[in-house]
Amino acid sequence: MRLGKVFFQFYGQAEHFSEVAKMSVAIVGAGKIGQAMARGFVRAGLVSADRIISSSPNPECLTEMGRLGVRTTYDNMDAVKPSNVVFLAVKPNMMPTVLDEIAPVINERHLVVTLAAGITIDFVEQKLPPNARVIRVMTNTPCIVGEGATIFARGAATKHTDSIIVRKFFSSIGFCDEGDESFIDAVTGLGGSGPAYAFCAMDALADGGVKMGLPRQLALKLAAQTLLGAAKMVLETDRHPMDLKDDVCSPGGSTICAIHRLEEDGFRKCLINAVEVATLKSKELSQQNGEKTDIKGTNCEKDDTRYASFVH
């Protein structure tokens, strides 16, 4: 069973689950992440498609949303006003404009969930009316296929039930857990950008296979399935990756020779550096918005039960 679902079952109460189905949901921004959320929420039976309304200036994106049975509009306020949960799935540079636009209709009934990189809870709260309930989320593109990795942090005015709601939604499209907002930049560097690192590794592995004589499509399939299988072994066995690596490395064999070459060429260092520079860039984006990046406390500190364990 997917870990996010296990964590959610631990935290949830059935009465809160049934309430989700009665909610109206706005998805402001109808791009790939917005579409993935709508598809996942409906597929999981959390809400029916006719209880979701999505807004975007892009007619092609709205057409895609419409194919899912979701109601659509070009007007953000029309989407937000009747909704209970508002997902802001827009680019970071558009967030100030969108927040200014929807602020007049935000009230105590709305739970606002922001997905934009580099946009902090404090920034959103300052743009919205006092005591607005705000949750910041960092997810990644594998949520498109139901395998996202999502971490969220809560603002000062949120309730514990708000975290249950967000956990329920994002557990339907992958792994989901709650963390301190100070983690979000690092989550961006690892989880948010991580699929790109994996795709580069996958392509390089396939190129290696082609160099050694494999057909391109077979090499790519082998590379993708190998990474998928390795990831599932870590998640499902709870064993450390290096322990699992040792299982593959026979004394004097081909794999240990390959690992030696990876170490010589700085493979691990490259990945560590990639996470570091992506994290620093996320902090830089926050600073460009005039926000604090050294945020140590959020509302989740009020709940002793907020953490299940982070996965490795």
Side-chain angles (χ1 to χ4, degrees), residues 162-191:
D162 293 331
S163 70
I164 293 175
I165 291 167
V166 168
R167 191 185 299 274
K168 177 68 170 176
F169 276 114
F170 283 96
S171 290
S172 73
I173 53 175
F175 162 78
C176 180
D177 201 2
E178 182 175 355
D180 197 90
E181 192 181 12
S182 64
F183 297 164
I184 295 294
D185 289 317
V187 170
T188 302
L190 174 56

mmCIF file of all heavy atoms in Angstrom, residues 162-191:
data_model
loop_
_atom_site.group_PDB
_atom_site.id
_atom_site.type_symbol
_atom_site.label_atom_id
_atom_site.label_comp_id
_atom_site.label_asym_id
_atom_site.label_seq_id
_atom_site.Cartn_x
_atom_site.Cartn_y
_atom_site.Cartn_z
ATOM 1 N N ASP A 162 -7.959 21.019 8.656
ATOM 2 C CA ASP A 162 -7.489 21.475 7.346
ATOM 3 C C ASP A 162 -6.356 20.588 6.831
ATOM 4 O O ASP A 162 -6.272 20.283 5.638
ATOM 5 C CB ASP A 162 -7.019 22.932 7.414
ATOM 6 C CG ASP A 162 -8.149 23.911 7.688
ATOM 7 O OD1 ASP A 162 -9.300 23.614 7.297
ATOM 8 O OD2 ASP A 162 -7.883 24.971 8.287
ATOM 9 N N SER A 163 -5.469 20.165 7.739
ATOM 10 C CA SER A 163 -4.384 19.288 7.315
ATOM 11 C C SER A 163 -4.930 17.925 6.898
ATOM 12 O O SER A 163 -4.398 17.291 5.978
ATOM 13 C CB SER A 163 -3.343 19.133 8.430
ATOM 14 O OG SER A 163 -3.842 18.383 9.506
ATOM 15 N N ILE A 164 -5.981 17.472 7.561
ATOM 16 C CA ILE A 164 -6.607 16.205 7.182
ATOM 17 C C ILE A 164 -7.171 16.301 5.768
ATOM 18 O O ILE A 164 -7.016 15.387 4.949
ATOM 19 C CB ILE A 164 -7.716 15.825 8.186
ATOM 20 C CG1 ILE A 164 -7.111 15.511 9.556
ATOM 21 C CG2 ILE A 164 -8.534 14.642 7.675
ATOM 22 C CD1 ILE A 164 -8.131 15.249 10.639
ATOM 23 N N ILE A 165 -7.801 17.429 5.470
ATOM 24 C CA ILE A 165 -8.379 17.634 4.137
ATOM 25 C C ILE A 165 -7.294 17.629 3.068
ATOM 26 O O ILE A 165 -7.409 16.940 2.043
ATOM 27 C CB ILE A 165 -9.174 18.954 4.107
ATOM 28 C CG1 ILE A 165 -10.429 18.833 4.968
ATOM 29 C CG2 ILE A 165 -9.539 19.342 2.675
ATOM 30 C CD1 ILE A 165 -11.113 20.160 5.244
ATOM 31 N N VAL A 166 -6.221 18.383 3.289
ATOM 32 C CA VAL A 166 -5.147 18.463 2.302
ATOM 33 C C VAL A 166 -4.471 17.101 2.138
ATOM 34 O O VAL A 166 -4.158 16.671 1.023
ATOM 35 C CB VAL A 166 -4.125 19.549 2.687
ATOM 36 C CG1 VAL A 166 -2.872 19.454 1.834
ATOM 37 C CG2 VAL A 166 -4.752 20.921 2.533
ATOM 38 N N ARG A 167 -4.255 16.408 3.238
ATOM 39 C CA ARG A 167 -3.648 15.088 3.170
ATOM 40 C C ARG A 167 -4.526 14.139 2.346
ATOM 41 O O ARG A 167 -4.031 13.340 1.537
ATOM 42 C CB ARG A 167 -3.434 14.527 4.573
ATOM 43 C CG ARG A 167 -2.562 13.286 4.618
ATOM 44 C CD ARG A 167 -2.502 12.726 6.035
ATOM 45 N NE ARG A 167 -1.924 13.676 6.968
ATOM 46 C CZ ARG A 167 -0.617 13.803 7.180
ATOM 47 N NH1 ARG A 167 0.230 13.053 6.514
ATOM 48 N NH2 ARG A 167 -0.170 14.662 8.057
ATOM 49 N N LYS A 168 -5.818 14.236 2.547
ATOM 50 C CA LYS A 168 -6.743 13.387 1.802
ATOM 51 C C LYS A 168 -6.643 13.658 0.307
ATOM 52 O O LYS A 168 -6.546 12.743 -0.519
ATOM 53 C CB LYS A 168 -8.171 13.630 2.295
ATOM 54 C CG LYS A 168 -9.258 12.851 1.542
ATOM 55 C CD LYS A 168 -9.168 11.368 1.792
ATOM 56 C CE LYS A 168 -10.390 10.648 1.231
ATOM 57 N NZ LYS A 168 -10.284 9.184 1.368
ATOM 58 N N PHE A 169 -6.652 14.919 -0.075
ATOM 59 C CA PHE A 169 -6.592 15.276 -1.494
ATOM 60 C C PHE A 169 -5.295 14.784 -2.132
ATOM 61 O O PHE A 169 -5.312 14.114 -3.169
ATOM 62 C CB PHE A 169 -6.727 16.790 -1.678
ATOM 63 C CG PHE A 169 -8.151 17.276 -1.711
ATOM 64 C CD1 PHE A 169 -8.649 18.097 -0.711
ATOM 65 C CD2 PHE A 169 -8.994 16.924 -2.750
ATOM 66 C CE1 PHE A 169 -9.956 18.551 -0.740
ATOM 67 C CE2 PHE A 169 -10.311 17.366 -2.792
ATOM 68 C CZ PHE A 169 -10.794 18.187 -1.788
ATOM 69 N N PHE A 170 -4.157 15.114 -1.532
ATOM 70 C CA PHE A 170 -2.889 14.807 -2.188
ATOM 71 C C PHE A 170 -2.471 13.352 -2.039
ATOM 72 O O PHE A 170 -1.670 12.860 -2.838
ATOM 73 C CB PHE A 170 -1.798 15.769 -1.715
ATOM 74 C CG PHE A 170 -1.918 17.125 -2.350
ATOM 75 C CD1 PHE A 170 -2.578 18.150 -1.700
ATOM 76 C CD2 PHE A 170 -1.404 17.360 -3.609
ATOM 77 C CE1 PHE A 170 -2.728 19.400 -2.284
ATOM 78 C CE2 PHE A 170 -1.548 18.604 -4.214
ATOM 79 C CZ PHE A 170 -2.211 19.626 -3.551
ATOM 80 N N SER A 171 -3.012 12.643 -1.057
ATOM 81 C CA SER A 171 -2.762 11.208 -0.981
ATOM 82 C C SER A 171 -3.426 10.473 -2.137
ATOM 83 O O SER A 171 -3.055 9.339 -2.456
ATOM 84 C CB SER A 171 -3.264 10.644 0.350
ATOM 85 O OG SER A 171 -2.471 11.087 1.426
ATOM 86 N N SER A 172 -4.397 11.119 -2.782
ATOM 87 C CA SER A 172 -5.062 10.488 -3.925
ATOM 88 C C SER A 172 -4.199 10.529 -5.178
ATOM 89 O O SER A 172 -4.492 9.842 -6.163
ATOM 90 C CB SER A 172 -6.407 11.176 -4.203
ATOM 91 O OG SER A 172 -6.223 12.467 -4.779
ATOM 92 N N ILE A 173 -3.119 11.329 -5.167
ATOM 93 C CA ILE A 173 -2.246 11.416 -6.337
ATOM 94 C C ILE A 173 -0.789 11.124 -5.966
ATOM 95 O O ILE A 173 0.131 11.560 -6.640
ATOM 96 C CB ILE A 173 -2.368 12.792 -7.039
ATOM 97 C CG1 ILE A 173 -2.144 13.955 -6.050
ATOM 98 C CG2 ILE A 173 -3.704 12.934 -7.724
ATOM 99 C CD1 ILE A 173 -2.133 15.329 -6.717
ATOM 100 N N GLY A 174 -0.595 10.350 -4.886
ATOM 101 C CA GLY A 174 0.759 9.955 -4.507
ATOM 102 C C GLY A 174 0.990 9.993 -3.011
ATOM 103 O O GLY A 174 0.065 9.912 -2.210
ATOM 104 N N PHE A 175 2.253 10.128 -2.643
ATOM 105 C CA PHE A 175 2.661 10.240 -1.238
ATOM 106 C C PHE A 175 2.426 11.663 -0.735
ATOM 107 O O PHE A 175 2.675 12.636 -1.459
ATOM 108 C CB PHE A 175 4.149 9.880 -1.127
ATOM 109 C CG PHE A 175 4.808 10.353 0.144
ATOM 110 C CD1 PHE A 175 4.620 9.671 1.331
ATOM 111 C CD2 PHE A 175 5.607 11.483 0.148
ATOM 112 C CE1 PHE A 175 5.218 10.100 2.503
ATOM 113 C CE2 PHE A 175 6.215 11.918 1.311
ATOM 114 C CZ PHE A 175 6.022 11.228 2.496
ATOM 115 N N CYS A 176 1.970 11.797 0.499
ATOM 116 C CA CYS A 176 1.735 13.126 1.083
ATOM 117 C C CYS A 176 2.056 13.096 2.560
ATOM 118 O O CYS A 176 1.695 12.155 3.270
ATOM 119 C CB CYS A 176 0.285 13.546 0.869
ATOM 120 S SG CYS A 176 -0.102 15.186 1.550
ATOM 121 N N ASP A 177 2.747 14.135 3.037
ATOM 122 C CA ASP A 177 3.058 14.248 4.458
ATOM 123 C C ASP A 177 3.135 15.726 4.828
ATOM 124 O O ASP A 177 3.301 16.588 3.954
ATOM 125 C CB ASP A 177 4.373 13.549 4.773
ATOM 126 C CG ASP A 177 4.504 13.180 6.250
ATOM 127 O OD1 ASP A 177 3.561 13.442 7.013
ATOM 128 O OD2 ASP A 177 5.545 12.631 6.626
ATOM 129 N N GLU A 178 3.018 16.010 6.117
ATOM 130 C CA GLU A 178 3.105 17.379 6.621
ATOM 131 C C GLU A 178 4.489 17.648 7.184
ATOM 132 O O GLU A 178 5.118 16.766 7.778
ATOM 133 C CB GLU A 178 2.055 17.615 7.711
ATOM 134 C CG GLU A 178 2.054 19.043 8.256
ATOM 135 C CD GLU A 178 0.922 19.296 9.248
ATOM 136 O OE1 GLU A 178 0.085 18.388 9.436
ATOM 137 O OE2 GLU A 178 0.883 20.391 9.831
ATOM 138 N N GLY A 179 4.988 18.864 6.996
ATOM 139 C CA GLY A 179 6.280 19.242 7.523
ATOM 140 C C GLY A 179 6.327 20.714 7.863
ATOM 141 O O GLY A 179 5.381 21.462 7.590
ATOM 142 N N ASP A 180 7.419 21.140 8.439
ATOM 143 C CA ASP A 180 7.609 22.541 8.765
ATOM 144 C C ASP A 180 7.872 23.343 7.485
ATOM 145 O O ASP A 180 8.491 22.836 6.545
ATOM 146 C CB ASP A 180 8.803 22.677 9.715
ATOM 147 C CG ASP A 180 8.818 24.021 10.414
ATOM 148 O OD1 ASP A 180 8.220 24.116 11.490
ATOM 149 O OD2 ASP A 180 9.418 24.961 9.852
ATOM 150 N N GLU A 181 7.435 24.591 7.442
ATOM 151 C CA GLU A 181 7.629 25.379 6.227
ATOM 152 C C GLU A 181 9.108 25.599 5.915
ATOM 153 O O GLU A 181 9.482 25.787 4.752
ATOM 154 C CB GLU A 181 6.903 26.725 6.305
ATOM 155 C CG GLU A 181 6.873 27.408 4.930
ATOM 156 C CD GLU A 181 6.202 28.766 4.924
ATOM 157 O OE1 GLU A 181 5.939 29.313 6.018
ATOM 158 O OE2 GLU A 181 5.942 29.285 3.823
ATOM 159 N N SER A 182 9.947 25.559 6.910
ATOM 160 C CA SER A 182 11.381 25.719 6.663
ATOM 161 C C SER A 182 11.945 24.589 5.813
ATOM 162 O O SER A 182 13.041 24.708 5.258
ATOM 163 C CB SER A 182 12.145 25.800 7.989
ATOM 164 O OG SER A 182 12.029 24.594 8.720
ATOM 165 N N PHE A 183 11.212 23.473 5.671
ATOM 166 C CA PHE A 183 11.647 22.363 4.836
ATOM 167 C C PHE A 183 11.367 22.598 3.347
ATOM 168 O O PHE A 183 11.954 21.916 2.496
ATOM 169 C CB PHE A 183 10.928 21.060 5.225
ATOM 170 C CG PHE A 183 11.179 20.561 6.614
ATOM 171 C CD1 PHE A 183 10.347 19.602 7.173
ATOM 172 C CD2 PHE A 183 12.234 21.041 7.380
ATOM 173 C CE1 PHE A 183 10.559 19.122 8.451
ATOM 174 C CE2 PHE A 183 12.461 20.567 8.658
ATOM 175 C CZ PHE A 183 11.619 19.605 9.198
ATOM 176 N N ILE A 184 10.457 23.514 3.026
ATOM 177 C CA ILE A 184 9.887 23.548 1.679
ATOM 178 C C ILE A 184 10.920 23.815 0.595
ATOM 179 O O ILE A 184 10.862 23.227 -0.487
ATOM 180 C CB ILE A 184 8.736 24.562 1.598
ATOM 181 C CG1 ILE A 184 7.565 24.127 2.499
ATOM 182 C CG2 ILE A 184 8.257 24.730 0.163
ATOM 183 C CD1 ILE A 184 6.864 22.865 2.067
ATOM 184 N N ASP A 185 11.897 24.697 0.847
ATOM 185 C CA ASP A 185 12.910 24.945 -0.176
ATOM 186 C C ASP A 185 13.713 23.677 -0.471
ATOM 187 O O ASP A 185 14.006 23.372 -1.628
ATOM 188 C CB ASP A 185 13.845 26.082 0.255
ATOM 189 C CG ASP A 185 13.160 27.433 0.235
ATOM 190 O OD1 ASP A 185 12.429 27.716 -0.726
ATOM 191 O OD2 ASP A 185 13.341 28.202 1.202
ATOM 192 N N ALA A 186 14.062 22.939 0.573
ATOM 193 C CA ALA A 186 14.787 21.680 0.374
ATOM 194 C C ALA A 186 13.894 20.632 -0.282
ATOM 195 O O ALA A 186 14.367 19.831 -1.104
ATOM 196 C CB ALA A 186 15.328 21.162 1.704
ATOM 197 N N VAL A 187 12.619 20.619 0.063
ATOM 198 C CA VAL A 187 11.669 19.723 -0.598
ATOM 199 C C VAL A 187 11.599 20.049 -2.089
ATOM 200 O O VAL A 187 11.532 19.159 -2.940
ATOM 201 C CB VAL A 187 10.277 19.824 0.052
ATOM 202 C CG1 VAL A 187 9.229 19.080 -0.780
ATOM 203 C CG2 VAL A 187 10.309 19.262 1.472
ATOM 204 N N THR A 188 11.648 21.350 -2.404
ATOM 205 C CA THR A 188 11.661 21.778 -3.806
ATOM 206 C C THR A 188 12.899 21.244 -4.514
ATOM 207 O O THR A 188 12.821 20.711 -5.624
ATOM 208 C CB THR A 188 11.627 23.313 -3.895
ATOM 209 O OG1 THR A 188 10.461 23.809 -3.232
ATOM 210 C CG2 THR A 188 11.620 23.773 -5.347
ATOM 211 N N GLY A 189 14.066 21.377 -3.853
ATOM 212 C CA GLY A 189 15.318 20.936 -4.455
ATOM 213 C C GLY A 189 15.406 19.440 -4.651
ATOM 214 O O GLY A 189 16.039 18.965 -5.602
ATOM 215 N N LEU A 190 14.763 18.687 -3.756
ATOM 216 C CA LEU A 190 14.802 17.226 -3.851
ATOM 217 C C LEU A 190 13.576 16.675 -4.577
ATOM 218 O O LEU A 190 13.698 16.041 -5.627
ATOM 219 C CB LEU A 190 14.900 16.615 -2.453
ATOM 220 C CG LEU A 190 14.801 15.085 -2.361
ATOM 221 C CD1 LEU A 190 15.858 14.422 -3.235
ATOM 222 C CD2 LEU A 190 14.931 14.623 -0.914
ATOM 223 N N GLY A 191 12.393 16.919 -4.018
ATOM 224 C CA GLY A 191 11.175 16.337 -4.585
ATOM 225 C C GLY A 191 10.641 17.084 -5.790
ATOM 226 O O GLY A 191 10.243 16.477 -6.786
#
